[in-house]
Amino acid sequence: MQASPEAAPSDRQIFHLILITPTKYDEDGYPLVWWRSVLPSNSLAALNGLGRDCRERHVLGPEVEIRLTAIDEANRLIRPQQIIQMVRRDGGKCLIALVGVQSNQFPRAVDLAQPFLAAGLPVCLGGFHVSGCFAMLPETTPEIQAAMDQGIALFLGEAEEGRLDEVLQDAYRGRLRPIYNYLDKLPTIAGAPIPILDEEDVKRTMGWISSFDVGRGCPYKCSFCTIINVHGRKSRFRTAEDLERIVVENDAQGIRQFFVTDDNLARNQNWAALFDTLIRLREERGIVLELSVQVDTRCHQIPGFIDKAAAAGVNTVFIGLENINPDNLATTGKAQNRITDYREMLLAWKRHPVTICAGYIIGLPFDTKESLMRDVEIIKRELAIDHIFFTMLTPLPGSADHARIYQSGEWMDPDLTRYNTNFRVIHHPRMTDEEWDGAYREMWRRYYSWEHMTRMLRRAHALRGDIRKTRNYLGWYHHFPINLGLHPLEGGLVQLRSRVDRRPTLPREHPLVFYPKYLLREARNMLTFWRIVRRMHKIDARIAADPERFAYRDEAITPPSEQDFEDLGLFKDTRGGREAVAKAAERKAAAPRRRVA
């Protein structure tokens, strides 16, 4: 069969697809940009993969060359005029796609769009903020309507199954529609183009970390979650063949560290085949991966899951612990979390050199400042967690919580930049604003005290865990919230600032003010972090020199027993804890007894 004729290079037109994941504004009004950022944007990887597929299929015709640029503003200063000049030089055809825009990034995204709109370039914006608002609210919110009035097109939902083709074709013809709404049509992702970023983009993250998903959707009904209302409650999965392509194509670029963005990998019905694929690639091709995955608190009850995960390369697990008070968990719809499972689950992971990171929500309805201080001490003493990141209960647009509060007319902070779970944006029924803010800061200080960080390093040595990762994470999680007031996952190495790129509502600083302040600030922050790292190394060296280090035990890393229900504060210090123990006893009594042969 004869191939269709290609246009001669001189006859080809150029169409630029510029994919940008915007950052958020920091407290001084500057885009939060780092020389090296922590986590990659999986939305950017997914759209980049779809863009490559559009380019390979010539969706704009054989005479049009699609040139793809992916920019994560978290680790790159953006110069809109340079992008505009590049597009004009090559004929003026393009689409500026602002992808994966979360609520705290929305104000920056709209500001970033302004020079492109002024130059007459088409701009389309998608992500959880616009998709979540349209999914959950009966009306268009003012900030979204204002963006549309300025000429920004909106993309709602997911872009697989040829949906990106449609947007590109409309942009090429100069007929971009105001809204592309696919919220009610969840695409199949098995066999879809794989998420992938170029080496040039990945190396801007710490440790050259990329990301991918192998599943979307969640069957649970957590009231604070936006995922279930954007990706839906129906789970959809990539195949083992898809995963092999992801790993092999990234390995060709030297990329072997990944953050797997599935909300709960343990609920992926194909988990065994996926892990077997990774194990085979390790054995046959020598591809040794390092994977960070998210799982639930009952993953240890799936036979073989944890052992196979560790064999496949999982060395960091993120667990949505959320709270240790069952009354709080019940109010959020997170009934699947049973505190009676926590210790057994954590120690099941600790049979392997896996680092455990837990998420914990502060500000649930039954919290008080006193109860939070009690809870953090229980966690420190009784749970084998290496790192924990605390978050403010935040009604993120797209969640059931946000829809309820929005429609009730209750106060919510009008500045979306603060909706990153690091700030209080609502009032609490039991705490004053000052108590809630103070409790949040104090939880960070207490958990990442030098005393407790030393204890966690002792546990890591005793269990023969990943000492380097534990030590590095501890220093990182101590530095950013305590010294800089930033969430650790929003941190990075060396903040980059441009004097002329500040939030429009704030004045531009004079050069003689801006540059000395900026340089002194970065020098101070780097020195502070270096001192933390040095102190952590000294503590670690002392522990490593102790010949009895492997014999160390405390309550958290002692195997669980029935006596725990009588002795540990996790179970006896709250009404909900005592009730959870009673329910666990009822389940055990009702479970069918095994027949003895």
Side-chain angles (χ1 to χ4, degrees):
M1 182 175 178
Q2 187 176 2
S4 58
E6 291 281 349
S10 59
D11 297 333
R12 280 197 160 194
Q13 300 179 40
I14 295 173
F15 181 91
H16 283 279
L17 173 56
I18 314 292
L19 304 171
I20 301 174
T21 296
T23 186
K24 67 180 289 289
Y25 288 116
D26 66 18
E27 285 295 274
D28 294 326
Y30 292 97
L32 187 59
V33 183
W34 301 96
W35 174 65
R36 292 291 182 267
S37 60
V38 176
L39 293 177
S41 167
N42 192 62
S43 295
L44 189 64
L47 267 293
N48 191 58
L50 292 172
R52 285 186 176 191
D53 178 65
C54 289
R55 180 178 62 194
E56 292 166 2
R57 291 187 292 109
H58 303 288
V59 299
L60 300 181
E63 73 285 354
V64 181
E65 175 189 353
I66 297 177
R67 291 189 180 174
L68 192 58
T69 303
I71 303 172
D72 187 347
E73 196 184 16
N75 52 44
R76 193 181 306 184
L77 290 171
I78 295 179
R79 308 296 189 191
Q81 291 306 320
Q82 292 181 3
I83 295 174
I84 293 168
Q85 290 171 10
M86 175 182 70
V87 171
R88 286 175 171 168
R89 179 197 65 208
D90 293 332
K93 294 282 189 178
C94 78
L95 174 65
I96 307 297
L98 301 171
V99 305
V101 180
Q102 300 175 14
S103 296
N104 67 91
Q105 299 164 334
F106 186 81
R108 171 59 183 166
V110 173
D111 292 342
L112 190 58
Q114 300 309 307
F116 299 117
L117 294 172
L121 304 184
V123 177
C124 187
L125 185 154
F128 269 79
H129 183 70
V130 293
S131 294
C133 286
F134 272 83
M136 296 298 291
L137 299 178
E139 59 193 34
T140 305
T141 58
E143 79 282 353
I144 293 178
Q145 186 61 56
M148 295 175 65
D149 291 344
Q150 294 169 25
I152 299 175
L154 304 181
F155 187 97
L156 314 177
E158 302 172 29
E160 284 81 6
E161 294 187 345
R163 298 167 184 182
L164 182 59
D165 299 20
E166 184 179 4
V167 181
L168 293 182
Q169 289 161 0
D170 287 351
Y172 177 72
R173 299 183 185 113
R175 298 198 297 267
L176 205 60
R177 302 206 307 265
I179 299 179
Y180 296 82
N181 189 345
Y182 296 103
L183 285 171
D184 295 331
K185 302 174 184 177
L186 297 174
T188 299
I189 60 173
I194 61 171
I196 191 165
L197 290 170
D198 294 337
E199 177 187 353
E200 174 66 24
D201 302 310
V202 175
K203 74 180 184 182
R204 294 174 181 269
T205 61
M206 297 181 63
W208 286 41
I209 300 174
S210 193
S211 67
F212 61 82
D213 59 0
V214 286
R216 295 180 194 163
C218 178
Y220 297 127
K221 299 179 180 180
C222 305
S223 64
F224 53 81
C225 182
T226 62
I227 292 172
I228 56 178
N229 302 313
V230 176
H231 289 320
R233 292 195 175 98
K234 177 184 177 182
S235 296
R236 296 157 289 135
F237 308 110
R238 298 189 192 272
T239 66
E241 291 75 20
D242 295 333
L243 177 59
E244 182 166 353
R245 285 181 57 212
I246 292 170
V247 172
V248 170
E249 290 195 27
N250 276 283
D251 180 64
Q253 301 184 102
I255 301 164
R256 296 187 172 189
Q257 293 191 64
F258 299 95
F259 179 64
V260 184
T261 62
D262 295 41
D263 190 52
N264 184 2
L265 189 60
R267 296 302 162 209
N268 188 315
Q269 64 186 20
N270 302 321
W271 67 264
L274 297 172
F275 287 152
D276 284 340
T277 297
L278 298 180
I279 293 169
R280 176 175 57 80
L281 290 173
R282 179 174 188 158
E283 294 172 348
E284 294 179 357
R285 295 186 178 226
I287 303 176
V288 181
L289 302 178
E290 294 184 30
L291 302 176
S292 298
V293 304
Q294 300 179 88
V295 295
D296 63 15
T297 59
R298 295 164 72 179
C299 60
H300 64 297
Q301 297 172 355
I302 304 173
F305 178 83
I306 290 178
D307 292 340
K308 190 160 282 194
V314 172
N315 65 357
T316 303
V317 293
F318 290 83
I319 300 169
L321 206 67
E322 314 308 8
N323 211 264
I324 63 170
N325 185 340
D327 289 335
N328 273 328
L329 293 170
T331 65
T332 66
K334 205 169 180 69
Q336 67 270 23
N337 276 27
R338 298 173 181 170
I339 67 168
T340 49
D341 294 330
Y342 285 2
R343 280 173 46 76
E344 182 182 354
M345 177 270 300
L346 294 169
L347 291 174
W349 281 108
K350 282 302 176 185
R351 292 197 301 265
H352 304 278
V354 171
T355 300
I356 298 174
C357 186
Y360 199 88
I361 299 174
I362 296 173
L364 292 172
F366 288 93
D367 283 340
T368 65
K369 187 170 183 178
E370 293 74 22
S371 73
L372 288 168
M373 297 306 102
R374 175 201 65 208
D375 292 350
V376 73
E377 296 302 325
I378 291 173
I379 296 167
K380 287 163 58 178
R381 187 173 60 248
E382 300 175 7
L383 297 180
I385 297 169
D386 297 296
H387 318 289
I388 194 166
F389 60 87
F390 300 105
T391 56
M392 285 283 201
L393 178 65
T394 303
L396 293 170
S399 68
D401 284 347
H402 178 268
R404 173 182 56 80
I405 296 174
Y406 181 90
Q407 294 180 67
S408 73
E410 296 175 42
W411 179 83
M412 289 190 290
D413 196 314
D415 186 0
L416 287 172
T417 297
R418 299 177 69 82
Y419 284 68
N420 66 337
T421 73
N422 198 39
F423 296 99
R424 176 188 51 78
V425 298
I426 55 175
H427 300 307
H428 193 271
R430 296 183 177 217
M431 292 185 283
T432 66
D433 295 347
E434 294 75 16
E435 287 176 330
W436 192 1
D437 289 337
Y440 178 68
R441 293 190 297 268
E442 185 64 19
M443 293 279 275
W444 283 108
R445 284 193 290 265
R446 291 198 180 195
Y447 193 85
Y448 291 98
S449 66
W450 287 102
E451 176 189 10
H452 187 54
M453 290 195 294
T454 301
R455 180 189 297 155
M456 286 189 281
L457 272 176
R458 288 193 182 280
R459 291 174 184 169
H461 278 275
L463 298 176
R464 294 173 170 81
D466 189 330
I467 306 301
R468 179 189 61 83
K469 186 180 285 288
T470 300
R471 183 185 65 229
N472 291 346
Y473 274 26
L474 286 174
W476 192 268
Y477 277 62
H478 173 95
H479 176 59
F480 282 93
I482 294 174
N483 296 325
L484 304 186
L486 286 173
H487 197 282
L489 298 184
E490 288 187 335
L493 286 179
V494 187
Q495 187 174 352
L496 306 177
R497 280 186 176 180
S498 169
R499 186 182 69 87
V500 300
D501 197 7
R502 198 180 192 193
R503 198 169 187 177
T505 54
L506 296 173
R508 182 176 296 182
E509 293 182 296
H510 190 278
L512 294 179
V513 174
F514 174 83
Y515 290 106
K517 184 170 68 173
Y518 167 61
L519 294 174
L520 287 172
R521 178 179 179 273
E522 286 307 300
R524 183 186 67 246
N525 292 343
M526 291 172 65
L527 178 61
T528 302
F529 186 54
W530 175 78
R531 286 174 173 169
I532 292 169
V533 171
R534 184 179 65 172
R535 186 170 176 180
M536 291 300 303
H537 276 272
K538 287 182 177 179
I539 294 171
D540 184 37
R542 285 200 301 270
I543 297 172
D546 182 1
E548 300 298 320
R549 64 188 182 280
F550 299 125
Y552 173 82
R553 288 294 181 272
D554 60 27
E555 288 174 297
I557 60 175
T558 298
S561 69
E562 293 294 328
Q563 190 62 34
D564 289 349
F565 297 140
E566 300 291 332
D567 295 343
L568 298 184
L570 177 66
F571 305 116
K572 66 185 181 66
D573 283 5
T574 65
R575 186 209 66 80
R578 294 188 293 272
E579 186 174 284
V581 171
K583 288 182 179 179
E586 291 175 5
R587 287 193 298 270
K588 184 176 180 180
R593 294 183 178 180
R594 293 182 180 179
R595 296 180 60 185
V596 179

